[in-house]
Amino acid sequence: MQRKFKKKYLLIFLLAIGSISLITLGFTYAKYASNSIWNYYLGSKGFYFTSDFLGMQTVKNVNTLWDGEAVSFSLTNQENDLVSTDYDITYQVTCTVLNDEKNEYTCTLNDTNSNTYKGTLSSYETCINYKNDGIDVSSYLQSECEINGYTWKKEAAIKDMNFKVTRNDGAPVEEVTVKIEATSTEPYKKTISGTFELKKDPTLDGTVSLQATKDGVVNNLLVTNSYNEEKCISISWDALQYRLAEEKENFDSYTTNDQGYINSITFKINPKYTQKISFYRTNLTQDINISDYTITENVNCQN
């Protein structure tokens, strides 16, 4: 009888745990589905509010080669190189140091003394010279631009941002986690966010290193240049495993395999900077693995 009693309560306990897990997963999925539907609705209105290091599902960014200086990210009104919003977007950005129960740290945005920043992404159009005839057409009006055979194009608004973390007692910051949250306020509300795990490595005087993160189906390769000077690097991979999810024009040069898929890129990276490069895995069940990439430092990026 006692054994049956124990089994009964063990079963109840397991069912309770299972129910809690299902409820938690349900809320997580519901939030993901809600975000996706809202993002689709905003896209139908021509509204785009995105970032290189933030997303509707909080993006985890890791930098173990942090130099203690300001960390950069950007906001834009474009979905991709072809699609951008054609009206103004007002927004607010906040910076929060996580797990700072004793209030030992201060996080500030864009070289101000505040952890909050407000701004506007302003849409504009301009004349572009794709004819390479040496004529500066940047001041042309639309009619003059099109009559002379140039391209009148909508340009994306990009706001370069940065945050800096300091200790209130003046001591150097060795390791910290920061959350950046950006919310558009007009004409539609959309929140994107990311965490930044920052850690100094005093043993590294200068190197170019790789790390990996995942954002949904997109795999991100984080390339960090800890040198005090600009570097030209090449990264290669097996194009049968990974497909570049970036515009090839973003890089100084590239190569392809026999099937025409890009399998290496060469580009310049600023000193003390981390650049994110996005890939898709051909096998969606597998995550990105930095051992699948080969990195080489070059003398320069000239062909």
Side-chain angles (χ1 to χ4, degrees):
M1 178 68 69
Q2 187 175 6
R3 182 176 297 178
K4 290 183 178 180
F5 181 80
K6 289 182 178 180
K7 286 183 176 180
K8 176 182 177 182
Y9 278 90
L10 177 61
L11 179 60
I12 293 173
F13 174 76
L14 292 175
L15 288 173
I17 294 297
S19 299
I20 292 172
S21 299
L22 287 173
I23 291 172
T24 301
L25 289 172
F27 279 126
T28 301
Y29 177 78
K31 182 179 180 181
Y32 175 81
S34 176
N35 284 343
S36 297
I37 293 171
W38 181 240
N39 201 40
Y40 178 81
Y41 170 78
L42 294 177
S44 70
K45 299 295 183 180
F47 180 88
Y48 306 103
F49 183 61
T50 61
S51 171
D52 48 356
F53 289 100
L54 313 176
M56 291 192 74
Q57 302 297 317
T58 301
V59 178
K60 181 179 179 181
N61 305 287
V62 181
N63 184 0
T64 59
L65 299 175
W66 181 49
D67 61 0
E69 298 299 320
V71 178
S72 300
F73 64 100
S74 64
L75 303 173
T76 182
N77 67 344
Q78 66 177 164
E79 176 73 4
N80 52 52
D81 289 342
L82 300 176
V83 181
S84 60
T85 301
D86 58 6
Y87 45 84
D88 291 354
I89 300 173
T90 59
Y91 62 88
Q92 175 175 294
V93 183
T94 58
C95 174
T96 306
V97 178
L98 301 182
N99 305 316
D100 184 24
E101 292 80 6
K102 297 181 179 179
N103 295 320
E104 298 177 284
Y105 300 90
T106 296
C107 184
T108 56
L109 288 162
N110 279 30
D111 303 316
T112 67
N113 293 320
S114 175
N115 71 333
T116 302
Y117 182 91
K118 295 181 179 180
T120 302
L121 293 173
S122 298
S123 174
Y124 69 99
E125 295 178 315
T126 188
C127 189
I128 304 294
N129 183 355
Y130 289 123
K131 297 164 68 172
N132 296 320
D133 55 10
I135 297 178
D136 181 7
V137 300
S138 58
S139 62
Y140 282 16
L141 298 177
Q142 183 174 1
S143 57
E144 183 180 10
C145 177
E146 294 175 341
I147 288 174
N148 287 281
Y150 301 109
T151 302
W152 187 254
K153 183 180 178 182
K154 184 189 304 178
E155 287 291 283
I158 300 175
K159 175 60 178 178
D160 292 324
M161 300 281 299
N162 69 74
F163 67 87
K164 189 170 185 178
V165 183
T166 56
R167 281 183 63 100
N168 297 330
D169 60 6
V173 181
E174 301 296 336
E175 184 174 357
V176 70
T177 300
V178 174
K179 183 174 183 179
I180 299 294
E181 190 170 81
T183 301
S184 60
T185 53
E186 292 290 343
Y188 301 100
K189 183 175 181 179
K190 176 182 176 180
T191 298
I192 53 179
S193 61
T195 58
F196 295 78
E197 296 181 11
L198 309 174
K199 184 177 181 180
K200 286 185 180 178
D201 188 345
T203 65
L204 295 176
D205 295 327
T207 187
V208 178
S209 63
L210 303 178
Q211 292 177 293
T213 63
K214 189 172 183 180
D215 182 12
V217 297
V218 178
N219 291 274
N220 299 313
L221 190 68
L222 304 180
V223 187
T224 298
N225 174 18
S226 66
Y227 289 103
N228 290 314
E229 59 184 357
E230 181 183 76
K231 289 291 181 178
C232 175
I233 64 170
S234 295
I235 298 176
S236 59
W237 63 90
D238 183 356
L240 298 180
Q241 296 185 59
Y242 298 96
R243 300 289 165 78
L244 183 68
E246 303 263 352
E247 295 293 332
K248 57 182 180 292
E249 290 78 14
N250 294 341
F251 307 100
D252 289 87
S253 62
Y254 62 91
T255 63
T256 61
N257 65 3
D258 294 339
Q259 289 76 40
Y261 294 111
I262 295 176
N263 59 7
S264 78
I265 51 177
T266 298
F267 59 97
K268 295 182 288 291
I269 183 169
N270 292 329
K272 304 294 184 180
Y273 183 75
T274 297
Q275 181 167 338
K276 181 170 68 174
I277 304 173
S278 298
F279 293 86
Y280 294 108
R281 282 217 63 148
T282 53
N283 185 342
L284 296 179
T285 63
Q286 297 180 349
D287 293 339
I288 191 171
N289 188 337
I290 61 173
S291 64
D292 294 333
Y293 291 84
T294 300
I295 185 168
T296 305
E297 294 184 29
N298 306 312
V299 176
N300 56 61
C301 283
Q302 297 178 356
N303 294 328

